[in-house]
Amino acid sequence: MRAIKETRFNFPQQSNFYKGKVRDVYTINDELMAMVVTDRISAFDVVLPEAIPFKGQVLNQIAAKFLAATQDIVPNWVLATPDEMVTIGRICEPFKVEMVIRGYLAGHAWREYSAGKRTVCGVALPDGLNENDKLPQPIITPTTKAAVGHDEDISKEDILAKGIVSLPDYEKLEAYTHALYARGTEMAAQRGLILVDTKYEFGKVGDAIYLIDEIHTPDSSRYFYAAGYAERQANKEPQKQLSKEFVRKWLIENNFQGKDGQVVPTMTPEIVDSISERYIELYEQITGEKFVKNPSADILNRIEKNTQNAINDLLSK
């Protein structure tokens, strides 16, 4: 299967098109949003030059599973998943923040902490923590949702002071975020994993709040293997993890963090294949199901046909 780096569909009812870092988003009749999860991969808010085979399928199918499993907590945007790489749903007005929640000191939060900072997004952290330590309780560290460029850390206080989100809505987002993280943690534990940190995005239709985008995927989350976690921490050893962090670490080791003047290192076929294998490994670990590679010879034609058929069905209702 070749990787799908981009799509260029023109559906009869199409009213708009938006190309994100990873997703190609088609607006249909200003009523529906058809999201094609491509095989593009981004890190440090930069889209890397090589696409990763099966990555889009992995992300879309994991997200579909977790969105279905959390509908009792908060309604979500999904109306149909007509293809392994496509989700169609209702159009929501997105909140301009991402709700990042962390149960462990890892990734960006650890990099900030190890640089001497003891406050992340307005949340105070105690001294004496080590990388990957479990936090006293999960903390929410929001980021701005940038249309272009880098998302940036922001505190709850600044979000409210700048009027980015109203207090009543923000309190709901906080409550949903904690409840979703608790559910994700439970589901991960059943599969021998620790949900280290993750992010959620929300939107509104009228006064109703919906969970949007993907959840609990390796692009939006970090997982550790539970077996051996305590021993590795006690010995100050790196944790065995399933997430996109290994891509970030590879880039950092090759002098790339998305800063001006830096060049993305060469992504050899071996690197691309290894990333693909890690995504499939996470799918099988988190779902407990064997990953099935769709053998379609013409993937783009399959995606277009399946999406159009679902759009016709939804619009006819």
Side-chain angles (χ1 to χ4, degrees), residues 168-302:
D169 280 347
Y170 192 84
E171 289 178 339
K172 290 178 183 176
L173 300 189
E174 281 187 318
Y176 286 146
T177 297
H178 280 291
L180 290 165
Y181 180 70
R183 178 69 55 80
T185 297
E186 292 170 9
M187 294 181 72
Q190 293 168 4
R191 301 296 315 150
L193 294 173
I194 295 169
L195 180 56
V196 177
D197 52 43
T198 190
K199 74 174 180 70
Y200 304 109
E201 296 185 46
F202 299 91
K204 289 186 92 173
V205 178
D207 293 328
I209 293 177
Y210 289 88
L211 179 61
I212 63 174
D213 203 46
E214 64 179 22
I215 66 167
H216 299 164
T217 73
D219 268 21
S220 65
S221 313
R222 190 189 325 269
Y223 291 92
F224 292 157
Y225 281 93
Y229 167 79
E231 292 79 6
R232 285 188 284 271
Q233 280 305 99
N235 296 328
K236 294 191 163 113
E237 296 172 353
Q239 286 298 327
K240 185 181 180 185
Q241 65 174 286
L242 283 173
S243 72
K244 202 167 68 172
E245 184 66 13
F246 74 96
V247 177
R248 298 187 191 96
K249 287 192 173 182
W250 173 73
L251 291 168
I252 291 171
E253 289 167 1
N254 286 275
N255 303 311
F256 182 82
Q257 294 185 60
K259 297 177 181 177
D260 290 344
Q262 294 183 336
V263 178
V264 177
T266 301
M267 296 177 71
T268 65
E270 292 76 18
I271 289 291
V272 170
D273 287 346
S274 71
I275 296 172
S276 180
E277 288 166 6
R278 291 288 288 275
Y279 272 89
I280 292 172
E281 180 186 359
L282 188 138
Y283 174 90
E284 295 183 338
Q285 185 67 36
I286 193 62
T287 65
E289 301 167 2
K290 182 71 176 174
F291 183 77
V292 179
K293 299 178 180 179
N294 192 313
S296 298
D298 189 345
I299 307 161
L300 287 172
N301 185 60
R302 183 203 78 204

